[in-house]
Amino acid sequence: MSAPHPPKVAGIDPPVPTAAHTVAPASPVPEATAGTLADTVPAVPAPHPPVAAPGTLLQDRLAGWVSDLTTLHELTERLVRTSALEPALDELLGATAALVGARRGLVVLDPGDGGPRTTRGLGLGRADLGHLETVPRGALPYDTAGTAEVVHADLFAEDDLDPRHREVAARLGYAASYALPLATDNAGRLGAAVWLYDEPAEPRERQRHLAGLYIRHATEHLARLREVERTRACVATITGELLPSRLPRVPGVQLAARHRTGPRGGGDWYDALPLPDAALGLSVGSVSGSGPSAVAAMGRLRASLRAYAVMEGEDPVAVLSDLELLLRLTEPARSATALFAYCEPALRRITLAGAGHSPPLLIGERRTEFAETSVSAPLNMLSCWEAPSTEIEAEAGETVLLYTDGLLHRSGDRMDRAFARLHSAAASVPRALRQDPGAIADHVLRMVLPDGPEAADSREDVVLLAARFD
């Protein structure tokens, strides 16, 4: 009769214990001489197995604790370096799968505050996650509303297993699962994490303890990231509402704009305003600072500039002078850069003035060059802002590109190299795209920021406003 095999734990066969000592087997003694030998050879007591000293056991236990704490510290350090929700979920799944000895798993965010439900898988495709979604909520291998672990050491040995769950488990090829809730007193209830085993198994007590400690820390981190993303989305929504929802249609010119909000929400703006006598006012600018206060200041400044443009738009210097006076009186601690252009589409003539802003870029078939503008200080930086206006004439089919400094800063280059990269990007616009100002703006974005404006590590917004003259 064979000895029973010990159950598997976390999908790993337990090590076979080895004997402390190996004693040479005694040679068999013939029955005829057994009595004689017993009479002549004194009996030798059997050796006792050595007993480990208490100090050795304590050292081994301390070494195990130190190893566990070191592992936990390394994993949590990697987690806190994530600054977005999806990378944090991926890091959580990889770390906890190693802790509990699983190969696959998923995390389900189902916040108690009514936030959006999010599912992220490890070793599971979208189709696999979709199959799991078909299991009734009460029969799932996890409980997003609970606060205790959920253990299924052998799913197919459970008589009361839901038939749909049994079918999905057979399809996906897992026979056991272990789940922990994502819930703490401070963060509230966020969801659950579950790990799937290919055969009957469950984690050891030590693995459960480490995974529990890690999950509690991860839950707090996920709650902070959710709050950050919620704030960013709110700031982006407010910024979008403060900027034009659509650009005006003016005969003789086509308009396109691109705007990307920075991670903290910046104060960059753009505007296009129809003016009397079939004229058009274009403006871009940036308010110092970031966050909600900068967004609010941007909204106030842009609205004021629109009013000044309607009253005296044909004189861009007067428009910016009035804006500088308003900023000095209402927000003396804040500065801003701005560029205002008075366009006459019928004549393809542009009169502009800038306050510490980068020059526009002319893009055409025969030239790609920066417009010559006077050097000036940002608004509210000197005792009195003053700068002359300049006039440029665009040819038929040329595009005037206005932009904010965020485009240059996010490139990661020095300013001289950033300007050179912008000029090269504009010069390389394919001829087939030059008829569409939106395509020109997209091409410039791709060339100047190859990783995308969202991937660049910068607090600043990116604004492009393109005007193509017929």
Side-chain angles (χ1 to χ4, degrees):
M1 181 176 180
S2 60
H5 294 285
K8 290 189 176 182
V9 180
I12 303 173
D13 291 326
V16 179
T18 58
H21 291 273
T22 302
V23 181
S27 57
V29 180
E31 293 182 3
T33 61
T36 306
L37 291 174
D39 295 337
T40 59
V41 180
V44 179
H48 295 283
V51 179
T56 303
L57 295 176
L58 182 59
Q59 289 179 358
D60 292 343
R61 184 172 298 180
L62 288 175
W65 289 345
V66 171
S67 176
D68 291 346
L69 291 175
T70 302
T71 301
L72 194 62
H73 174 73
E74 292 175 354
L75 294 178
T76 53
E77 281 290 315
R78 289 169 52 181
L79 177 67
V80 298
R81 284 196 291 267
T82 57
S83 57
L85 195 58
E86 288 189 359
L89 294 178
D90 292 338
E91 178 63 33
L92 180 150
L93 283 171
T96 50
L99 288 176
V100 301
R103 188 173 60 88
R104 294 180 293 173
L106 67 151
V107 58
V108 180
L109 292 185
D110 190 10
D113 58 5
R117 182 183 174 91
T118 304
T119 303
R120 198 79 172 171
L122 173 68
L124 298 171
R126 291 186 177 181
D128 300 332
L129 297 176
H131 287 308
L132 283 170
E133 291 290 336
T134 63
V135 177
R137 179 66 64 94
L140 286 167
Y142 57 86
D143 183 10
T144 58
T147 58
E149 64 180 14
V150 179
V151 183
H152 294 282
D154 189 350
L155 284 169
F156 298 104
E158 298 179 8
D159 297 332
D160 58 346
L161 186 65
D162 183 84
R164 180 55 185 166
H165 189 186
R166 186 186 302 274
E167 179 183 349
V168 170
R171 178 188 292 269
L172 300 186
Y174 68 90
S177 65
Y178 176 66
L180 285 175
L182 299 174
T184 63
D185 293 337
N186 294 330
R189 178 175 55 81
L190 296 185
V194 58
W195 302 274
L196 308 177
Y197 301 100
D198 298 340
E199 52 190 20
E202 62 178 305
R204 300 185 181 92
E205 184 64 30
R206 168 174 163 269
Q207 292 174 311
R208 294 185 184 186
H209 179 66
L210 288 178
L213 292 176
Y214 181 87
I215 285 294
R216 283 195 290 273
H217 179 83
T219 302
E220 299 286 347
H221 184 62
L222 293 178
R224 289 190 291 268
L225 291 180
R226 287 187 66 249
E227 188 63 29
V228 169
E229 291 199 355
R230 185 182 304 172
T231 302
R232 288 178 180 175
C234 182
V235 171
T237 301
I238 295 174
T239 303
E241 293 295 328
L242 292 175
L243 295 175
S245 58
R246 65 179 63 183
L247 296 173
R249 294 180 177 271
V250 178
V253 64
Q254 302 175 46
L255 300 175
R258 298 293 184 265
H259 175 259
R260 300 292 185 271
T261 304
R264 298 188 180 183
D268 289 15
W269 84 81
Y270 67 91
D271 204 356
L273 179 66
L275 297 175
D277 301 326
L280 175 68
L282 301 176
S283 70
V284 292
S286 177
V287 174
S288 62
S290 61
S293 63
V295 173
M298 175 271 289
R300 292 190 294 267
L301 212 62
R302 172 180 166 270
S304 302
L305 190 147
R306 290 173 68 91
Y308 298 143
V310 170
M311 293 186 295
E312 47 192 2
E314 67 279 0
D315 186 358
V317 173
V319 172
L320 293 186
S321 296
D322 293 343
L323 192 66
E324 197 265 346
L325 179 59
L326 175 70
L327 189 64
R328 182 182 304 280
L329 295 177
T330 58
E331 300 188 56
R334 194 180 295 277
S335 63
T337 65
L339 187 145
F340 178 74
Y342 179 78
C343 304
E344 300 171 90
L347 303 175
R348 294 193 294 272
R349 184 168 57 197
I350 305 169
T351 306
L352 58 90
H357 209 82
S358 301
L361 189 59
L362 287 169
I363 306 172
E365 293 288 342
R366 294 185 296 178
R367 62 173 176 173
T368 299
E369 60 187 24
F370 291 101
E372 293 185 5
T373 57
S374 58
V375 178
S376 60
L379 301 176
N380 208 17
M381 288 292 289
L382 301 178
S383 58
C384 181
W385 176 85
E386 186 176 353
S389 63
T390 58
E391 186 175 295
I392 58 177
E393 291 188 5
E395 298 181 2
E398 285 191 334
T399 299
V400 178
L401 184 66
L402 310 181
Y403 53 93
T404 58
D405 292 344
L407 177 65
L408 304 173
H409 293 160
R410 285 204 180 195
S411 68
D413 295 331
R414 300 191 310 269
M415 290 303 290
D416 56 340
R417 294 176 61 90
F419 275 113
R421 175 180 289 194
L422 175 58
H423 183 276
S424 176
S428 66
V429 175
R431 179 171 296 182
L433 302 181
R434 292 181 181 268
Q435 306 298 320
D436 183 1
I440 293 176
D442 292 334
H443 177 84
V444 170
L445 272 177
R446 286 193 302 268
M447 297 298 294
V448 177
L449 306 177
D451 295 332
E454 290 82 4
D457 185 13
S458 175
R459 300 180 181 181
E460 302 189 38
D461 294 0
V462 174
V463 166
L464 284 86
L465 178 60
R468 182 184 181 276
F469 290 88
D470 297 336

